[in-house]
Amino acid sequence: EAGVAQSPRYKIIEKRQSVAFWCNPISGHATLYWYQQILGQGPKLLIQFQNNGVVDDSQLPKDRFSAERLKGVDSTLKIQPAKLEDSAVYLCASSLGGDRGPQHFGDGTRLSIL
Amino acid sequence: AQSVTQPDIHITVSEGASLELRCNYSYGATPYLFWYVQSPGQGLQLLLKYFSGDTLVQGIKGFEAEFKRSQSSFNLRKPSVHWSDAAEYFCAVGPSRGGNKLTFGTGTQLKVEL
């Protein structure tokens, strides 16, 4: 089966600019996650979707980050405006949902803020 | 609150030698434990998981882990390391089989000397 697809793989922007990341989960996976992985740290969950509804966004900096999952499939994560501390790898993961299997991760988008 | 501690930031082993990566967790209920591996520029791949039952679990690539409730540990082991095992390893804990609300450790970077 095809894995979780993410684009772009790399992005360089200046602070205060905006940026968007795209994720296409594994077909049939109801749950989609966005993680932020800062260099030297483990992934931190930003937001979790179940189909097209938000389950958990408690750690999403909502003043600058937003995410949507239209039609319960693809998802977009946006940062506007970006800050230097947003430099990180943004990982998307998906799972069947509930207790029906672990998360499968994409290769991530590496974001550098100048 | 749940937390994961991986006390070793870097570990270097010789090819063919045995490996043990340490993981300690803090969790108020029945923990669901996971080990993931991340190669450079890639997403996380699930190595193995523990839900219940036999405390020694087998995973992919010859890895195994042992759950010790009394020590709140879930250490990862491999009898003979291959050069291709060089990567970063993450331990994670969550409240369900599906891996929802995972909390990751900070990771252990494994270097393999030929």
Side-chain angles (χ1 to χ4, degrees):
Chain A
E1 64 179 5
V4 176
Q6 290 189 247
S7 67
R9 288 299 313 276
Y10 306 93
K11 190 73 177 179
I12 301 174
I13 62 172
E14 295 184 348
K15 59 183 179 182
R16 290 188 290 273
Q17 287 187 325
S18 63
V19 64
F21 314 126
W22 173 82
C23 173
N24 181 239
I26 292 173
S27 178
H29 280 196
T31 308
L32 185 147
Y33 312 80
W34 282 104
Y35 289 87
Q36 180 191 57
Q37 186 178 17
I38 294 173
L39 186 65
Q41 299 181 20
K44 182 185 81 171
L45 180 67
L46 292 176
I47 189 167
Q48 176 183 339
F49 292 94
Q50 180 71 21
N51 297 309
N52 60 352
V54 175
V55 173
D56 182 357
D57 64 356
S58 57
Q59 299 192 90
L60 186 74
K62 298 180 186 64
D63 57 333
R64 298 183 300 105
F65 285 65
S66 64
E68 60 182 8
R69 191 183 184 195
L70 300 176
K71 301 180 182 179
V73 181
D74 293 6
S75 178
T76 303
L77 176 69
K78 297 179 181 178
I79 307 175
Q80 182 179 8
K83 293 185 175 182
L84 292 176
E85 60 260 35
D86 299 332
S87 292
V89 175
Y90 290 85
L91 295 165
C92 180
S94 70
S95 69
L96 287 169
D99 285 349
R100 293 179 295 155
Q103 299 177 36
H104 298 264
F105 285 80
D107 289 339
T109 296
R110 182 175 297 277
L111 175 65
S112 297
I113 312 292
L114 304 178
Chain B
Q2 59 196 50
S3 66
V4 175
T5 301
Q6 294 182 247
D8 304 305
I9 298 175
H10 295 99
I11 282 185
T12 300
V13 299
S14 299
E15 189 175 38
S18 64
L19 171 70
E20 183 169 31
L21 302 182
R22 295 183 290 166
C23 171
N24 292 97
Y25 68 90
S26 174
Y27 195 71
T30 301
Y32 292 82
L33 295 158
F34 305 80
W35 272 101
Y36 284 87
V37 61
Q38 186 177 35
S39 298
Q42 296 185 16
L44 281 72
Q45 180 184 20
L46 180 66
L47 285 175
L48 48 77
K49 55 189 181 290
Y50 173 77
F51 297 155
S52 63
D54 192 349
T55 57
L56 184 64
V57 293
Q58 302 296 321
I60 62 172
K61 305 185 180 187
F63 285 92
E64 65 179 25
E66 186 171 14
F67 171 63
K68 293 185 178 179
R69 185 183 297 275
S70 62
Q71 299 177 20
S72 297
S73 69
F74 188 55
N75 294 348
L76 182 71
R77 302 196 293 247
K78 187 170 185 178
S80 177
V81 171
H82 188 263
W83 64 267
S84 60
D85 293 325
E88 189 152 25
Y89 292 80
F90 292 94
C91 181
V93 65
S96 73
R97 296 170 182 266
N100 291 330
K101 298 184 182 297
L102 281 180
T103 296
F104 286 85
T106 52
T108 296
Q109 186 72 45
L110 173 65
K111 180 180 177 182
V112 180
E113 290 183 333
L114 300 177

